[in-house]
Amino acid sequence: MHSSPSRRAAGPRSSVKSVSDEEMALAAAAAGARLLLSSVARRAAGPLSCAAYSAAGGNVEDSPLLRMSHLARFRERRALAVTDITATEWCEKQMEFVLEHGKPERTEAMKAGLDRHAQLEDEVVRRGGVAIRSAEELWSIRITDFLVGTNQLMFEGITREIPVFGVVEGLWMTGIVDEIRLPRNGISFQPILVDTKTRRRPKCPPEAQKRNGRLQMMCYKYLWDNLIAEKFPAENFFSYFDLDPRYLLSDDVKRYITSLGFNAKTFEDVSKYFKITCHTLWWLRSQEQLLLRYELQADDSLLEEYQFTYDARWFKDKIQEVFSFWQRSREPKFVTEEERWKCSICKFAPDCPMISSTSKCWH
């Protein structure tokens, strides 16, 4: 139950900046030599690149590297991020280009959106910093952010940038919920999940963007609801990510966790707090109604509040479709005829087979 308005007015919680999946991968790579060695052993010294395979006299089209799934090549022992899911739904061919060639530079609009999210986060979360030296410590920080965020939600009625993670349709997924609120009407105690998006122009988004936002929010709801329902597969968690429960945390990480009211010496200690917290949250299953907010970048004014209902069947179908791309059970799809306007804002359009095979210009 959330507290009175005076309690809700309390200052922002202290936390490190939420850890992105890119940061997770970098830290895991730096500290996880054992993971790299096991991966090499499993692949029996397979080819490291298509170019190397071709130079050795192999046919690139038949390369074992190319035949591997995108999950094996680009997300081995890593969770798919919710942003991976939405980017794939936006355009599978564009996602393939990103995996093969890397993300293009951020646009000014993207930077403005990130700045706005940081501003919103700072209203609730006071970010600090702590040195991370391993995947276990990175997950410890991620879990601690979850613990602090849920505590803030219960006592202040709102939290922002809270990590969620779990298994969806057999695959690990992770994300960061923009905002979770408890209703103030005293009738329902079910929290509502909220995401704020910014737009350069003062007009509401097209259906393709709303559909993408619906998928994103349904991912968050699925992960959140499963965490508080104690459906987190702990044993699979440690084995899949190659994590050592007995790992001793560094002094910096221990001090950080202690400053937030927890006493942990090992990664297993943090995991126990996580299990206990999830056990106490059973009554916080999120509302079926989800909320997308669209703001104008120029002045942060509200353009639209778009509320919609969680659709379990639609969500499952969409996730299975996205996963079939990552598992490479089929060729990537291009955007539909009605959504080819996306190509005009795609940095990979000059190299896209769909564009080069036609003389049309998309606007």
Side-chain angles (χ1 to χ4, degrees):
M1 183 180 299
H2 62 280
S3 58
S4 64
S6 60
R7 172 65 178 166
R8 185 177 293 111
R13 64 180 167 94
S14 177
S15 172
V16 296
K17 182 178 180 181
S18 296
V19 180
S20 71
D21 288 281
E22 288 81 3
E23 292 169 321
M24 173 72 79
L26 289 174
R34 65 186 187 278
L35 178 61
L36 178 59
L37 289 173
S38 64
S39 174
V40 172
R42 283 195 306 273
R43 296 187 187 180
L48 298 179
S49 70
C50 294
Y53 187 79
S54 179
N59 186 333
V60 173
E61 294 299 321
D62 295 328
S63 166
L65 187 64
L66 288 181
R67 290 199 302 268
M68 293 171 63
S69 72
H70 294 312
L71 284 168
R73 286 186 65 190
F74 302 106
R75 295 294 186 273
E76 186 179 21
R77 299 280 174 162
R78 287 177 56 193
L80 281 174
V82 171
T83 50
D84 289 329
I85 304 300
T86 55
T88 304
E89 193 276 337
W90 182 256
C91 176
E92 292 183 2
K93 194 63 181 178
Q94 184 186 71
M95 186 74 245
E96 185 181 62
F97 274 117
V98 168
L99 293 174
E100 295 284 355
H101 305 290
K103 293 181 180 180
E105 291 186 8
R106 289 173 177 166
T107 64
E108 290 303 316
M110 292 167 64
K111 292 176 182 176
L114 290 171
D115 289 343
R116 176 56 178 158
H117 275 84
Q119 180 184 354
L120 288 169
E121 183 183 1
D122 286 342
E123 294 175 2
V124 176
V125 183
R126 182 176 295 115
R127 292 180 291 181
V130 60
I132 300 297
R133 66 179 187 180
S134 70
E136 285 84 358
E137 292 187 343
L138 203 56
W139 273 107
S140 293
I141 295 300
R142 178 171 282 188
I143 290 172
T144 304
D145 274 352
F146 175 83
L147 302 178
V148 176
T150 54
N151 184 67
Q152 185 182 40
L153 176 66
M154 288 188 288
F155 285 97
E156 300 180 24
I158 187 172
T159 191
R160 289 183 179 144
E161 300 296 317
I162 183 168
V164 287
F165 36 87
V167 175
V168 182
E169 292 297 307
L171 294 179
W172 279 93
M173 188 185 301
T174 183
I176 300 176
V177 185
D178 198 6
E179 181 177 315
I180 307 181
R181 305 173 185 168
L182 283 177
R184 302 184 184 185
N185 54 23
I187 300 174
S188 170
F189 295 114
Q190 285 184 286
I192 182 170
L193 307 187
V194 183
D195 194 84
T196 299
K197 299 185 180 299
T198 63
R199 295 184 60 77
R200 287 187 302 163
R201 299 175 183 175
K203 62 179 184 179
C204 296
E207 167 57 22
Q209 289 181 321
K210 286 187 174 181
R211 184 185 67 239
N212 202 251
R214 291 197 297 270
L215 178 59
Q216 176 185 358
M217 296 299 291
M218 289 187 199
C219 286
Y220 293 152
K221 175 177 169 57
Y222 186 96
L223 292 169
W224 169 263
D225 287 352
N226 273 269
L227 282 175
I228 66 165
E230 298 186 88
K231 294 182 179 179
F232 186 76
E235 290 186 8
N236 182 269
F237 171 66
F238 289 113
S239 61
Y240 181 84
F241 294 105
D242 196 29
L243 300 170
D244 180 6
R246 296 167 297 179
Y247 180 90
L248 292 173
L249 302 174
S250 69
D251 290 340
D252 283 347
V253 172
K254 285 189 290 187
R255 276 194 295 269
Y256 168 72
I257 294 175
T258 300
S259 72
L260 298 175
F262 304 99
N263 182 23
K265 295 181 179 180
T266 66
F267 182 45
E268 188 172 29
D269 293 336
V270 178
S271 301
K272 288 178 179 177
Y273 279 120
F274 175 67
K275 183 177 181 180
I276 293 170
T277 298
C278 290
H279 181 70
T280 66
L281 298 174
W282 58 268
W283 56 279
L284 282 177
R285 179 183 172 87
S286 62
Q287 295 183 24
E288 296 298 295
Q289 295 294 306
L290 301 165
L291 180 62
L292 282 167
R293 300 180 68 259
Y294 293 94
E295 294 183 349
L296 183 64
Q297 286 182 357
D299 58 7
D300 301 332
S301 60
L302 182 65
L303 294 174
E304 181 184 11
E305 283 198 338
Y306 173 53
Q307 198 164 30
F308 57 95
T309 304
Y310 178 78
D311 185 333
R313 180 72 257 179
W314 182 87
F315 174 66
K316 183 174 182 177
D317 290 345
K318 278 290 182 183
I319 288 297
Q320 289 179 343
E321 183 180 4
V322 168
F323 284 179
S324 66
F325 162 84
W326 282 90
Q327 292 162 338
R328 293 196 71 179
S329 58
R330 57 173 174 78
E331 291 299 311
K333 298 177 182 177
F334 296 102
V335 293
T336 62
E337 179 92 29
E338 296 76 17
E339 296 183 11
R340 287 185 180 172
W341 55 267
K342 295 177 181 177
C343 303
S344 66
I345 55 175
C346 177
K347 300 295 184 181
F348 300 106
D351 302 312
C352 182
M354 187 182 74
I355 301 297
S356 61
S357 65
T358 178
S359 58
K360 291 183 179 179
C361 295
W362 317 117
H363 298 281

